[in-house]
Amino acid sequence: MTRTIYIVGLGLIGSSLALGIRRSHPDARIVGYNRGEQSRTIALEQGIVDEASDDFGQFVEEADVIFLCVPIQQTIQFIKELAQLPLKETVLVTDAGSTKEAIVAAAETYLSDRQVNFIGGHPMAGSHKSGAMAADVNLFENAYYILTPSALTQADAIPRLKDILSGLHARFVEIDAAEHDRVTSQISHFPHVLASSLMHQAGEYQEEHPFTQQFAAGGFRDMTRIAESEPGMWTSILLTNKESIIERLAEFGERLKTVQEMIATGDKEAIWQFFDQGRRIRKEMEIHKRAGVDSFYDLFINIPDQEDAILTVLEKLRGISVVNIRINEDNRADIHGILQITFKNKEDLERAEQIIHEQTSYQVFVD
């Protein structure tokens, strides 16, 4: 019997989920909802979905599984609407929101009388691109896919969902919704606040010190990259995870005061220990060892400022999937640039490292 998978929201996440589901379940009927016509048209033309609509309720009654891949507040609104719509008795409902406690609470409140099989979900992957046009079947490869069970999660929910999503090649982790929000407040939500705060500070500072803008590169660029994220999404995230984020902000403020005191008193040993501990903690964290929020693998190549140097490297890596390319330390004229190439898995990273080591004279290393 053909299963009907309903993807609500045909943006980057929803469309990429659909591609992954089709890869492992080619016989599934995948239908989609999207308010905007452009993504609906692209999703249909590219075979991401078999049918699409701008009417949320159109496919609800037929769906065996419903993925809510829309902003958090819209997800909660759709959960409310599902409570009033006809559903299959065996329907499995899940979502893709970046915060989980508010969504799980909404499901437990509005769907408890419907016997809906609900489990929260958060695929921890993304891109600066958006819409169905950016859909990528490999978007979630090796990335963590968080599952947050609820009071409505039946025994078959997790195995059913893992089977449906097997084509994503993601790493599934089960965690309590409240704990999910506490953890992500530290490693995702707070860093976005910090990045935007740094940009606000630098923007004001450059008014009196214009070279601030010219010299902003290297570490500053890497620390503030995420400040370019979509404001609406982050407004919703902050307002649905208030307590944890406020707690992180307050705690960080105390840390900054401590560092300020170290500098003011000239405590050389304390400053050294501060940086050394930070360095050691980062080395011990699994940032580059396994999947994380950015489940990538980075290769660093020292290359001279010569014509076609980057092109030569990329030509040798033809056939290997590259996630991102970046030139670091481009504000220094007296040293080689560092070409940072990002891969999605360890195998591609190791293959690329071997090729560059054997076929060029450039120094290559892995972080």
Side-chain angles (χ1 to χ4, degrees):
M1 185 178 182
T2 301
R3 284 182 292 188
T4 296
I5 311 295
Y6 187 15
I7 307 293
V8 180
L10 295 172
L12 170 70
I13 298 298
S15 296
S16 297
L17 283 175
L19 289 177
I21 292 169
R22 197 177 292 286
R23 176 158 63 182
S24 57
H25 299 281
D27 297 331
R29 174 178 175 245
I30 303 179
V31 297
Y33 159 87
N34 204 75
R35 183 176 60 181
E37 182 179 0
Q38 183 178 22
S39 281
R40 291 200 311 272
T41 300
I42 293 171
L44 287 168
E45 290 177 347
Q46 297 187 2
I48 295 172
V49 297
D50 300 304
E51 301 175 57
S53 173
D54 61 355
D55 176 7
F56 171 67
Q58 180 171 337
F59 300 116
V60 166
E61 189 173 3
E62 308 166 48
D64 295 289
V65 184
I66 299 174
F67 287 89
L68 300 175
C69 305
V70 290
I72 297 168
Q73 297 299 338
Q74 186 65 65
T75 294
I76 293 173
Q77 179 58 40
F78 280 155
I79 287 173
K80 294 179 182 179
E81 293 184 28
L82 286 176
Q84 307 301 320
L85 294 171
L87 298 167
K88 284 188 176 181
E89 291 185 4
T90 58
V91 67
L92 172 61
V93 180
T94 187
D95 76 289
S98 297
T99 59
K100 297 269 56 81
E101 195 168 14
I103 292 173
V104 167
E108 292 177 344
T109 298
Y110 298 107
L111 300 177
S112 59
D113 295 335
R114 300 299 309 276
Q115 300 301 311
V116 168
N117 194 356
F118 180 88
I119 183 168
H122 179 197
M124 298 184 75
S127 168
H128 66 284
K129 300 177 182 178
S130 60
M133 185 176 292
D136 180 3
V137 70
N138 295 314
L139 180 66
F140 309 104
E141 184 175 351
N142 290 322
Y144 283 131
Y145 197 117
I146 310 299
L147 301 176
T148 58
S150 71
L152 305 182
T153 302
Q154 299 168 21
D156 67 333
I158 292 175
R160 277 179 67 190
L161 193 54
K162 286 183 177 179
D163 172 67
I164 292 165
L165 297 176
S166 59
L168 271 58
H169 302 159
R171 297 174 183 266
F172 295 99
V173 177
E174 299 170 38
I175 188 173
D176 174 75
E179 180 65 10
H180 167 278
D181 288 1
R182 284 191 288 266
V183 171
T184 53
S185 74
Q186 174 64 55
I187 52 88
S188 178
H189 308 164
F190 165 67
H192 277 79
V193 175
L194 180 59
S196 287
S197 298
L198 284 171
M199 291 312 307
H200 281 272
Q201 185 184 51
E204 294 176 5
Y205 199 68
Q206 73 179 8
E207 293 178 4
E208 294 186 12
H209 307 279
F211 279 104
T212 299
Q213 182 173 1
Q214 184 174 341
F215 293 163
F220 183 84
R221 177 190 54 217
D222 292 343
M223 288 182 67
T224 58
R225 173 183 58 83
I226 55 176
E228 297 184 12
S229 299
E230 202 279 313
M233 180 183 77
W234 283 98
T235 299
S236 183
I237 287 173
L238 297 193
L239 293 181
T240 54
N241 198 18
K242 291 184 192 178
E243 292 184 6
S244 292
I245 296 170
I246 290 173
E247 179 186 273
R248 294 296 84 215
L249 287 168
E251 198 270 349
F252 193 75
E254 293 302 316
R255 287 183 181 275
L256 289 181
K257 290 179 182 178
T258 300
V259 177
Q260 182 180 354
E261 183 65 20
M262 293 177 193
I263 299 170
T265 58
D267 192 337
K268 181 178 179 180
E269 177 63 21
I271 294 171
W272 188 92
Q273 290 291 345
F274 169 77
F275 284 109
D276 184 60
Q277 183 179 12
R279 178 181 62 85
R280 286 189 288 105
I281 291 173
R282 190 179 192 279
K283 284 181 174 292
E284 292 169 0
M285 290 185 74
E286 297 185 353
I287 295 175
H288 297 294
K289 296 177 183 177
R290 291 190 296 150
V293 174
D294 294 313
S295 307
F296 300 143
Y297 297 81
D298 293 322
L299 185 70
F300 298 86
I301 307 168
N302 285 348
I303 59 171
D305 183 14
Q306 296 177 354
E307 186 176 358
D308 295 337
I310 295 177
L311 184 61
T312 298
V313 169
L314 297 180
E315 183 64 31
K316 293 184 181 299
L317 299 182
R318 182 186 294 272
I320 301 178
S321 179
V322 172
V323 173
N324 195 18
I325 300 171
R326 178 184 302 168
I327 302 174
N328 296 329
E329 298 182 346
D330 54 349
N331 62 329
R332 293 287 300 277
D334 57 335
I335 61 173
H336 283 6
I338 297 179
L339 178 63
Q340 178 180 346
I341 305 180
T342 304
F343 304 91
K344 208 54 179 305
N345 58 61
K346 182 179 179 182
E347 292 73 21
D348 286 347
L349 173 65
E350 292 177 343
R351 182 180 168 203
E353 180 185 15
Q354 182 178 3
I355 289 172
I356 299 303
H357 179 73
E358 294 179 351
Q359 299 184 23
T360 76
S361 60
Y362 304 148
Q363 182 183 17
V364 56
F365 54 97
V366 177
D367 188 2

